Amino acid sequence: MSSIPLAAYLLLALILFCIGLFGALTKRNAVIVLISIELMLNAVNINLVAFAKYSINPGLTGQIFSLFTITVAAAEAAVGLAILIALYRNRQTVNVDEMDSMKR
């Protein structure tokens, strides 16, 4: 039975993180920026689970930290979307470039 090597998990996480970083830094739509941040958090989750699987003393530590990260990501998505809905109602746009001040 062959196992997937640790390098494959790390490469997948690297690709996901780079795609998320590119999206967060270059896109103007705030929804796309939130999705990009979610991609970066998922890359972190892959690393946590992979290192927990391939560590010297395998255990549930990586999975537990991954659950905390998923919880934080869900809260970030809920709060972020609530803020975006409020901004859209006030300004009729979700472009990051047009959100430059707190005043209307």
Side-chain angles (χ1 to χ4, degrees):
M1 182 169 103
S2 66
S3 178
I4 300 173
L6 178 61
Y9 289 112
L10 296 179
L11 182 64
L12 175 65
L14 175 71
I15 292 169
L16 279 177
F17 193 85
C18 288
I19 291 171
L21 185 64
F22 177 77
L25 294 177
T26 61
K27 299 301 177 188
R28 293 182 180 172
N29 190 333
V31 176
I32 302 298
V33 171
L34 284 175
I35 291 172
S36 298
I37 293 170
E38 293 292 327
L39 272 176
M40 293 180 349
L41 288 172
N42 283 329
V44 170
N45 286 337
I46 290 172
N47 280 335
L48 288 171
V49 173
F51 281 124
K53 179 181 177 184
Y54 288 99
S55 67
I56 296 172
N57 188 11
L60 294 176
T61 307
Q63 286 86 347
I64 292 171
F65 279 121
S66 181
L67 284 175
F68 284 126
T69 308
I70 291 169
T71 305
V72 169
E76 174 260 333
V79 171
L81 286 174
I83 291 170
L84 284 177
I85 289 171
L87 284 171
Y88 183 77
R89 285 182 181 168
N90 288 333
R91 302 202 181 183
Q92 283 71 39
T93 185
V94 290
N95 285 339
V96 179
D97 293 343
E98 297 174 18
M99 297 178 202
D100 55 354
S101 70
M102 296 293 283
K103 294 181 181 178
R104 184 152 164 74

